[in-house]
């Protein structure tokens, strides 16, 4: 099925859906295109975020349970208004001029189709014909910036048959990228720095949880927040800085994807998400104190590790599951990635309670091998 012209979708074409779940839904693209024309660019983005509000940070929960959190105002702003995308000084939007898809995208069309299909389905992005966005931005007197898709090597990643992960590359784009070393100061000032726990921090937390009487053995628990960066929506106007140029797809005109939330590839995404991560850890630690538990949560990006005693583990795991879904939105806690027991992997290491040992995990070993070949290519 082909598009009748290069720049627009006819109503007849737009009403025909692709049944294959790994391909884009044409009627949804047509719906967004019509909305841009009827409601305008910013209002369409805002409506799409509201329509899928359950996948983002929940402002009512922030007000109810996080008023004493040190970064309360920042957390509430993220939940209500969305994140600000910082750009380098003297940055200028390219408005799609000179943007071209990198050849790397031609190697992973099935992975790209699957990801775009999922994003479109859950409201994580808006996908429209390129000319529709250009016309809508021109009518509103707004600018937008187009970046490109790429991927990073990730050993053992089951999500890709190429052992990699698709990323939004905001460094390489026509006219310069929104990522830049000179933007980090503004990002840190706005959202705070990122300080992830190291192996020594986890070992110290484990030792602090040991029952001196030997009656209540330590249990090792790890949890994961699904789609963590994307749990924070972006301010509607700033979404126009997160436009991606998509590779050619049969049956469609040239397309853009407009990101509605934090992106793995934007240099400030980790700092933005870290505000929510610190909030979760803060509330989790309050619960630990309330039940006189020596366990304390350690969050590495989106992975929580803690060492409760066996008698307290069920309550703390249940509490974490509740606050994770409550603050971060529906299905935020990835139950299938949760581990609890005497032997549990965490941040590339495996903690073994029975023999008080820590050793490198299979995934961590693969990462070390990949790093070696990056440094010393054959």
């Amino acid at each position: 099925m082909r598009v009748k012209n290069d720049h627009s979708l006819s109503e007849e074409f737009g009403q025909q859906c692709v049944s294959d779940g790994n391909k884009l839904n044409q009627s949804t693209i047509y719906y967004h295109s019509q909305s841009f024309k009827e409601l305008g660019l910013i209002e369409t983005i805002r409506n799409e975020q509201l329509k899928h509000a359950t996948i983002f940070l929940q402002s009512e929960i922030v007000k109810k349970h996080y008023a004493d959190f040190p970064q309360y105002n920042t957390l509430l702003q993220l939940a209500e208004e969305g994140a600000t995308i910082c750009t380098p000084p003297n940055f200028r939007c390219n408005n799609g001029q000179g943007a071209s898809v990198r050849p790397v995208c031609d190697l992973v069309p099935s992975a790209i189709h699957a990801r775009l299909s999922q994003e479109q389905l859950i409201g994580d992005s808006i996908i429209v014909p390129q000319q529709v966005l250009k016309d809508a931005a021109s009518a509103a007197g707004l600018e937008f910036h187009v970046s490109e898709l790429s991927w990073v090597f990730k050993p053992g990643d089951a999500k890709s048959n190429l052992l990699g992960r698709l990323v939004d590359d905001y460094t390489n784009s026509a006219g310069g990228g929104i990522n830049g070393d000179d933007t980090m100061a503004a990002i840190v000032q706005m959202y705070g720095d990122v300080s992830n726990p190291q192996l020594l921090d986890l070992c110290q937390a484990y030792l602090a949880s040991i029952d001196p009487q030997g009656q209540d053995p330590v249990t090792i628990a790890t949890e994961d927040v699904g789609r963590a960066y994307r749990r924070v929506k972006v301010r509607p106007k700033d979404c126009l800085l997160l436009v991606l140029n998509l590779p050619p797809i049969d049956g469609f005109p040239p397309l853009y994807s407009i990101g509605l939330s934090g992106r793995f590839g934007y240099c400030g995404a980790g700092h933005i998400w870290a505000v929510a991560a610190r909030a979760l850890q803060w509330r989790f630690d309050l619960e630990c104190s309330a039940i006189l538990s020596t366990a304390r949560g350690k969050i590495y990006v989106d992975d929580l590790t803690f060492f409760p005693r066996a008698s307290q583990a069920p309550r703390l795991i249940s509490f974490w599951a509740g606050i994770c879904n409550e603050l971060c939105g529906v299905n935020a806690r990835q139950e299938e990635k949760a581990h609890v027991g005497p032997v549990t992997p965490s941040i590339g290491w495996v903690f073994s309670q029975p023999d008080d040992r820590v050793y490198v995990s299979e995934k961590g070993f693969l990462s070390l091998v990949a790093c070696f070949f990056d440094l010393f290519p054959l």
Side-chain angles (χ1 to χ4, degrees):
M1 182 163 51
R2 294 287 177 181
V3 184
K4 295 182 179 179
N5 59 67
D6 291 336
H7 302 308
S8 64
L9 293 171
S10 69
E11 183 172 358
E12 176 187 354
F13 176 79
Q15 290 176 344
Q16 299 179 39
C17 298
V18 176
S19 59
D20 184 351
N22 286 328
K23 293 187 177 180
L24 297 178
N25 186 311
Q26 297 167 347
S27 63
T28 304
I29 293 176
Y30 173 74
Y31 167 80
H32 290 148
S33 300
Q34 289 298 104
S35 182
F36 277 173
K37 297 173 184 177
E38 296 170 7
L39 297 179
L41 192 51
I42 299 301
E43 198 59 31
T44 297
I45 292 173
R46 183 176 289 110
N47 284 351
E48 197 67 14
Q49 289 177 331
L50 288 172
K51 186 193 306 181
H52 299 277
T54 58
I55 67 172
F56 301 126
L57 295 181
Q58 303 296 298
S59 60
E60 292 306 313
I61 297 301
V62 174
K63 295 175 184 177
K64 183 176 180 180
H65 294 294
Y66 294 87
D68 294 328
F69 174 58
Q71 285 187 282
Y72 169 76
N73 290 332
T74 303
L75 183 65
L76 183 61
Q77 185 178 54
L78 290 175
E80 290 188 333
E81 303 172 22
T84 297
I85 301 299
C86 298
T87 57
N90 305 317
F91 170 81
R92 299 185 65 180
C93 290
N94 61 25
N95 294 308
Q97 299 301 314
S100 60
V101 176
R102 301 173 69 184
V104 71
C105 293
D106 295 336
L107 301 178
V108 285
S110 60
I112 292 173
H113 282 216
R115 181 182 124 172
L116 296 178
S117 174
Q118 180 189 36
E119 286 187 359
Q120 184 180 243
L121 179 66
I122 66 177
D124 205 23
S125 66
I126 292 177
I127 299 174
V128 293
Q130 293 182 5
Q131 194 60 42
V132 169
L133 176 57
K134 291 176 181 178
D135 292 344
S138 177
L142 296 170
E143 293 187 311
F144 62 96
H145 190 74
V146 178
S147 301
E148 301 185 14
L149 272 172
S150 185
W151 88 73
V152 292
F153 183 65
K154 187 173 183 184
D157 190 350
K159 295 180 181 178
S160 171
N161 56 5
L162 293 178
L163 298 180
R165 175 174 290 184
L166 283 166
V167 296
D168 306 341
D169 189 351
Y170 297 116
T171 301
N172 297 301
S173 57
I178 65 173
N179 285 347
D181 293 338
D182 42 6
T183 65
M184 291 308 298
I187 293 169
V188 172
Q189 182 178 13
M190 189 174 296
Y191 296 112
D193 209 346
V194 176
S195 180
N196 289 315
Q198 303 302 310
L199 176 61
L200 179 60
D201 300 316
L202 295 181
C203 291
Q204 290 175 337
Y206 168 77
L207 292 173
S209 294
I210 294 176
D211 179 6
Q213 306 302 320
Q215 300 299 312
D216 202 354
V218 175
T219 298
I220 306 163
T222 56
E223 296 279 348
D224 184 277
V225 183
R227 300 175 54 258
Y229 287 7
R230 300 185 183 223
R231 295 286 170 177
V232 185
K233 66 184 178 183
V234 170
R235 293 193 313 170
K237 188 174 181 179
D238 284 9
C239 289
L240 297 180
L241 296 171
L242 302 179
V243 179
L244 288 175
N245 199 14
L246 302 185
I249 299 174
D250 283 346
F252 294 87
L255 297 173
Y256 284 144
S257 170
I258 306 171
L260 304 182
S261 57
R263 285 304 194 252
F264 183 63
Y266 169 54
C267 63
H271 293 73
I272 294 168
W273 160 251
V275 177
R278 283 190 289 270
L280 286 170
Q281 181 173 317
W282 172 82
R283 193 168 174 212
F284 181 81
D285 286 351
L286 287 180
E287 177 67 8
C288 290
S289 298
I291 65 172
L292 303 179
S293 172
T294 55
R296 291 294 184 272
K298 302 289 184 183
I299 291 186
Y300 187 100
V301 186
D302 56 359
D303 297 322
L304 174 80
T305 300
F306 60 104
F307 302 94
R309 293 178 184 172
S311 63
Q312 299 166 330
R315 174 169 175 170
L316 289 177
I317 292 171
S318 177
F319 183 79
W320 166 262
I323 65 170
C324 183
N325 292 328
E326 193 179 53
L327 176 64
C328 298
V330 62
N331 296 326
R333 185 215 182 201
Q334 287 200 290
E335 188 173 352
E336 66 277 11
K337 288 190 175 182
H339 296 276
V340 59
V343 180
T344 304
S346 175
I347 64 168
W349 301 91
V350 174
F351 288 80
S352 177
Q353 185 270 338
D355 49 8
D356 288 331
R357 289 181 57 209
V358 180
Y359 50 93
V360 67
S361 67
E362 179 181 348
K363 188 174 182 180
F365 178 75
L366 288 173
S367 297
L368 289 174
V369 172
C371 181
F372 175 83
F373 284 109
D374 281 344
L375 293 173
F376 305 102
L378 297 176

